[in-house]
Structures are given as C-alpha cells and as structure tokens.
Amino acid sequence: MTVPDIISQYSHDSNRSVAENDAYSQPVKPQLPLTQGEIDVLSRPKVIIAGGGLSGLTLAILLKQAKIPFVVLERAKEIKPLGSAILLGAGVGPLFQQMGIYEEFKKIGKYTTELQMFNENLKPEFTIEGAWLADLTTYKDYVVSRPDLYDLLWRHVPRENIRLGKRVLSYVEEETSITVNCSDNSVFCGDILVGADGAYSAVRQHLYKNLKATTGIPPSDDIPLPFSCVCLVGQTTVLDPEDFPELKSEKSHFTSILGLKNLCTWLTFSTKKNTMCWMVIQFLNKDTSKQNDSFRNSEWGPEPAEAMAREVRAFKVPGGKDGVISLAEYIDRTPKEYMAKVMLEEIVFETWHDGRAVLMGDGK
C-alpha cells in the first residue's frame, strides 16, 4: 500500500447523503504490515479547508508538500476567478519557493520597484520605493493579475482534493474529530477545520456561536462586520503597446490617484501579458453607505459593477500616447465578466481559533 493510497482512504464521497456518509466517517483500516512511512502518514491530522480562495489553496499546496491529507470545500459550483491585480512583496518569495511555484509565479508576474502617487489633477505627490528590500533579500516585488495567480494555485492542488458546490453551514466537534455539515447535506470528517471561507466566514460564525454559549468572546468580536469602502475591479483584454506605451516598460506601471472631492482612490497596474488591471475604491459616508448596503452580502460578479463603472469613467489616469487618458479607455476594453464590485470590510478579529477549528485569510 502506497502513501497516496492511505491518504485517499480519508476522503469522503462528496456526492453521498448524510446517511451514506455515516458509513465513511471512519477510515478504512489499511492492510498490515505497514511501512514506517505509512505509519507516519496515518499519524498525521486530516485537514478540512473551508474555502477555495487564495488563502485556502495556498494552505492546500503546503499540506500537499508535507503529505498531510486534506480536502478543500468550495461553495462555488464552478471556478470564475475575478479581480484586478495583486502586489506581492518580496516576503512572499520564500513562501512560494517552499510551495514549489516561485519560478512559475515569476513568469506570470511583472516586477515593480515603486508606486507613483498622484492627486486627482494628476500632479505627482510622492513615490513609494521598494527596491531596497529586493536588494536585501534577492526577491522582487511583483504585480500579478488575481485571476492568473488563482489559476497558478489551482493547477497545483490535486482535483481529487477539491469539492465544488460545498457551502459549509456548521460543524460538530468531538473529542477526537470534527465533522463539517454542508448545505447539500453532505458531511466531511477530519481532525482540523480551517475556515478560509471569506469575510462572512460560516466557520467563524459557528465558532463564535459556540463560544458565546460557553466562555464568551471579546466585545470587539461581537459586532456586525463593518465596511467603509466599495471597490470596483477589472482587467482589460490584451492591449497594443503602441496605443498604451506604458506597457513597454519591463517594470509594472503601478499608479495610485487620490481623489479628495469624490472620496475615491483609483489604481492601475500593467501586467506581464500586456493587460491593464484597474481598481476604484470609494470611501463611504453615511449616505453612500446606505446606498450600497444591498451589496453587503453579494457575490463577486459583473452584474453590480456596471452602474459604478458608468460613474467613474471620466476619472483621469496616467497613460496612453498623450500621457493622460480617462479610465473609460480601460473600462471599455474590459469584458463584463472580468469586472466586479465588492465590499471591503475592515476588521481584525481577536478570536481566531478554538478547539479543532481555526480561521485564516479574510475569515479572521
């Protein structure tokens, strides 16, 4: 019996009902005798990861590298990675090397050494330099589109370890195990549950519910999830560098414009594949917060984005042949399915673990 054979024995059939899964709540006993390697694998905890986002997939790859059995439960029935770009600093380099994806990451990322800050009239305000850290660590800062990063992580997680359409509702913790219940009546049994299921984490909500009934939680954790910003993100199709000369630079064209009159900040990032990622952050006041309240629990998707895109089309950004263009130049070249409007919740929870459940990413 091989090590993968033993690991596979802890996987549940995600298509079974609760009653059917009861028969699979205990691992099948392997054939004896066992090798020392097989014994080592059997002694490792079985991990259930709620959420197949960036943090959940990152953990999954690390567990795979350590030969620790795991399953990822993702609520979406199909993968549609959205978003703009992410700046990953030099500190991420050693992590990606440990995960075995650093060289692939560099191929999809475009390095950058500075962020240029402008006011709403496109007058330069200041520049944030980051090259010094690369000189110290030999790792560079990279701008990468979020969909490309997600695709990279997704490719490195075995398909048999991912279950789509599995929205976690609750869990039951026992002395020697933890059982997760999903909305389709499927259940998964393991040793550790990791809540990487986003800002409105079901794992966190259930964890807090249990704690409030027993030991209690800090008052700062017992408040509605606050949000003060909405964010519109998108990525263009491949652009012609002759029309957008900023793409010709070997470094990412990374700019941020601070708008005081409209209470917005908008950013642009050029990518390795000659697309432009862009983002508009609107800071909410009392009135605009109420107007956007309906988006609090919305999924990432293109539908809510179109109205906001019309409102920000005239925003000016550095770029183009004349050095200044409107954001409309990028919006009109962005497929609707690559735009999304989301809430930006801002809170750090004090309580992030209890018993066999732990939170990570936006969940904490």
Side-chain angles (χ1 to χ4, degrees):
M1 179 175 289
T2 66
V3 170
D5 288 335
I6 294 178
I7 292 176
S8 68
Q9 290 181 359
Y10 292 107
S11 299
H12 291 262
D13 185 344
S14 61
N15 294 319
R16 295 177 181 271
S17 65
V18 172
E20 290 174 312
N21 268 329
D22 286 342
Y24 291 79
S25 61
Q26 298 297 327
V28 178
K29 291 184 179 180
Q31 297 176 357
L32 299 177
L34 298 177
T35 67
Q36 184 59 49
E38 292 169 343
I39 293 173
D40 291 342
V41 170
L42 284 171
S43 66
R44 294 172 183 174
K46 303 181 291 293
V47 181
I48 302 172
I49 304 172
L54 297 181
S55 60
L57 294 182
T58 298
L59 175 60
I61 296 172
L62 291 170
L63 293 175
K64 183 190 72 170
Q65 297 288 83
K67 293 183 171 61
I68 294 176
F70 69 91
V71 64
V72 178
L73 306 180
E74 167 55 42
R75 64 179 295 174
K77 295 182 179 180
E78 58 180 319
I79 299 302
K80 293 181 179 180
L82 298 172
S84 181
I86 298 177
L87 171 64
L88 295 176
V92 175
L95 171 63
F96 281 4
Q97 278 200 324
Q98 182 182 356
M99 294 166 61
I101 64 172
Y102 187 59
E103 294 304 316
E104 291 179 78
F105 167 71
K106 290 195 296 183
K107 291 179 181 179
I108 63 172
K110 195 168 189 177
Y111 87 92
T112 185
T113 59
E114 62 184 25
L115 166 61
Q116 298 175 297
M117 308 288 291
F118 300 83
N119 62 27
E120 53 201 330
N121 297 317
L122 294 190
K123 178 182 177 181
E125 292 287 345
F126 56 90
T127 298
I128 300 177
E129 298 281 354
W132 62 271
L133 186 57
D135 293 337
L136 289 176
T137 65
T138 71
Y139 294 102
K140 296 179 179 180
D141 296 342
Y142 284 91
V143 169
V144 60
S145 78
R146 183 185 177 97
D148 288 347
L149 177 60
Y150 189 91
D151 181 65
L152 171 61
L153 298 176
W154 176 263
R155 295 199 309 270
H156 282 266
V157 180
R159 293 290 78 80
E160 61 268 22
N161 290 81
I162 299 178
R163 306 289 191 273
L164 298 178
K166 299 296 177 183
R167 183 165 67 91
V168 172
L169 295 180
S170 62
Y171 64 84
V172 177
E173 184 175 339
E174 299 178 355
E175 184 176 350
T176 60
S177 65
I178 190 165
T179 301
V180 175
N181 302 302
C182 297
S183 59
D184 63 352
N185 293 327
S186 59
V187 298
F188 294 83
C189 183
D191 298 300
I192 298 172
L193 170 62
V194 180
D197 48 344
Y200 294 91
S201 168
V203 176
R204 186 187 69 246
Q205 293 176 31
H206 193 77
L207 186 152
Y208 282 13
K209 179 181 177 181
N210 290 343
L211 286 177
K212 284 194 284 186
T214 54
T215 59
I217 61 175
S220 60
D221 289 345
D222 194 18
I223 60 174
L225 194 62
F227 67 93
S228 58
C229 307
V230 291
C231 184
L232 178 69
V233 297
Q235 179 178 190
T236 69
T237 55
V238 176
L239 303 177
D240 186 345
E242 296 303 320
D243 295 328
F244 300 91
E246 58 270 23
L247 296 173
K248 296 181 179 181
S249 173
E250 64 177 1
K251 296 190 295 184
S252 178
H253 183 71
F254 186 15
T255 67
S256 177
I257 298 90
L258 308 176
L260 297 179
K261 296 179 181 178
N262 52 28
L263 294 179
C264 290
T265 294
W266 51 106
L267 303 93
T268 62
F269 324 72
S270 61
T271 73
K272 189 73 168 284
K273 59 185 183 182
N274 283 348
T275 65
M276 288 297 296
C277 293
W278 51 272
M279 175 188 307
V280 180
I281 303 171
Q282 179 185 13
F283 299 91
L284 304 179
N285 55 32
K286 183 177 180 180
D287 294 331
T288 55
S289 179
K290 291 181 179 179
Q291 295 170 11
N292 283 278
D293 195 57
S294 61
F295 294 103
R296 176 184 286 265
N297 293 308
S298 64
E299 297 284 350
W300 282 51
E303 293 80 8
E306 295 180 18
M308 186 171 177
R310 289 192 293 269
E311 295 174 359
V312 303
R313 289 176 57 83
F315 289 5
K316 300 298 181 183
V317 295
K321 292 181 179 179
D322 297 327
V324 178
I325 59 175
S326 68
L327 201 56
E329 297 290 338
Y330 296 148
I331 292 176
D332 290 344
R333 292 170 171 81
T334 300
K336 290 184 178 180
E337 61 269 23
Y338 285 173
M339 280 198 300
K341 178 182 177 181
V342 295
M343 288 295 182
L344 295 182
E345 298 85 357
E346 295 187 34
I347 188 172
V348 176
F349 294 100
E350 184 175 340
T351 307
W352 58 275
H353 67 92
D354 181 66
R356 294 177 177 273
V358 61
L359 306 173
M360 72 176 297
D362 289 343
K364 63 182 286 287

